[in-house]
Amino acid sequence: MKVTVIGLGLIGGSMAITLRKEGVATELFGVDRNEANAAKAVELQIVDKILPENEALSKSDFVIVSIPVNATAALLPSVLDAVSDHTVVIDVGSTKNLISKAMTNHPKRMQFVASHPIAGTEYSGPTAAFHGLFEGKTNIVCEREKSSERALATALKVFDALKLNTIYMEPQEHDKHVAYISHLSHVSSFLLGQTVLDIEKDEKNIFDLAGSGFASTVRLAKSSPDMWAPIFEQNAEYLGQALTEYIMHLQKFQYLLMKKDSQAIHKIMTQANDIKRVLKN
Ligand code: NAP
């Protein structure tokens, strides 16, 4: 089928690469506001050509909207307006509540499938895209009953080709879970990076002394603020609750540390070790 990808970055680009390799996409059109990224995506053969948005949409059987979540909510209604009656549209946004609301009363809502593949890296743009990013990862589809059976079946064919395991959730439930599991980790990593940069004024010290523990914990602080600021804004309520609980744990730890209560600190870490069982590695 003919596929348009709006947003030729890590997620959209990786989907395009795999869909071509798996024979699902026979022709790939790209749309991106960033001309350098658009040119790079053609150079890397991620897409066949860059087309004006409406021309790409009118020629496509399947459309992937892969731009920051604020832009996704703003653009999706006009994307649905422009596509033919048989075209299926998905988004891949990391928040689902506002995006789902933006589509609620659209006359072509049935042609849209709201999705979030839980896969990524800290890198952005078409050069970060690669085949296999989604393999074995979870994909969350929201409000499945609002998509037609045909749209859902077409989207599932695409998700299967990407080797994603699709599960279903309501948008509020999705946003609450990802606030704890994904968004809180990013806040914590951004602020760890900032704390160390503030205190260690000598960059050489950070470079020389950073062991793999620091590097792996601070990895997410390399992520794009352009992508993450709108995610935090859209999920502020649930992320705020998650932060309250996290800060409470940090304060308790600090209190026990000052009290030199090693036994209590040991107990907290033993409890936290249970994450090994949950993540099985
Ligand atoms: P990315 O690598 O930064 O790529 C996004 C591309 O879209 C950039 O070329 C960007 O241009 C362009 N763009 C931005 N606004 C646009 C607009 N209004 N119209 C057309 N193009 C536009 O981003 P990404 O990491 O692939 O993320 C894309 C989506 O995937 C987001 O909704 C994100 O929430 C979701 N997601 C991300 C991850 C992850 O870990 N990265 C995981 C799961 C889901 P500029 O460079 O000029 O901004």
Side-chain angles (χ1 to χ4, degrees), residues 6-13 31-35 37-38 53 65-72 75 91-95 99 115-126 128 133-134 186 223-224 226-228 231:
I6 303 181
L8 298 163
L10 170 69
I11 301 296
V31 176
D32 201 298
R33 69 167 185 191
N34 181 324
E35 286 178 18
N37 281 357
E53 188 173 302
V65 178
S66 182
I67 55 181
V69 289
N70 54 338
T72 301
L75 187 74
D91 83 305
V92 295
S94 308
T95 52
I99 290 171
S115 22
H116 177 199
I118 315 273
T121 72
E122 63 275 35
Y123 302 111
S124 309
L133 172 64
F134 305 103
H186 280 80
S223 304
S224 158
D226 288 344
M227 196 192 89
W228 280 96
I231 293 174

Side-chain angles (χ1 to χ4, degrees), residues 26-123:
T26 48
E27 211 172 345
L28 277 150
F29 308 126
V31 176
D32 201 298
R33 69 167 185 191
N34 181 324
E35 286 178 18
N37 281 357
K40 197 70 189 173
V42 175
E43 185 192 320
L44 296 172
Q45 297 178 349
I46 291 174
V47 290
D48 298 305
K49 54 180 132 172
I50 301 298
L51 289 180
E53 188 173 302
N54 277 355
E55 188 183 342
L57 293 176
S58 67
K59 286 182 172 167
S60 295
D61 307 300
F62 196 83
V63 177
I64 299 167
V65 178
S66 182
I67 55 181
V69 289
N70 54 338
T72 301
L75 187 74
L76 265 175
S78 63
V79 169
L80 264 288
D81 287 341
V83 296
S84 75
D85 288 346
H86 81 273
T87 306
V88 175
V89 178
I90 66 163
D91 83 305
V92 295
S94 308
T95 52
K96 291 268 76 72
N97 201 27
L98 232 103
I99 290 171
S100 301
K101 276 194 182 138
M103 295 306 295
T104 301
N105 296 318
H106 197 285
K108 292 184 180 168
R109 173 63 185 84
M110 304 268 280
Q111 291 172 238
F112 170 63
V113 180
S115 22
H116 177 199
I118 315 273
T121 72
E122 63 275 35
Y123 302 111

Side-chain angles (χ1 to χ4, degrees), residues 37 52 56 60 76 86 105 111 137 152 230 233 250 259 262 277:
N37 281 357
S60 295
L76 265 175
H86 81 273
N105 296 318
Q111 291 172 238
K137 300 287 173 24
L152 201 57
E233 186 188 323
L250 287 174
K259 256 183 60 182
S262 296
R277 179 186 56 76

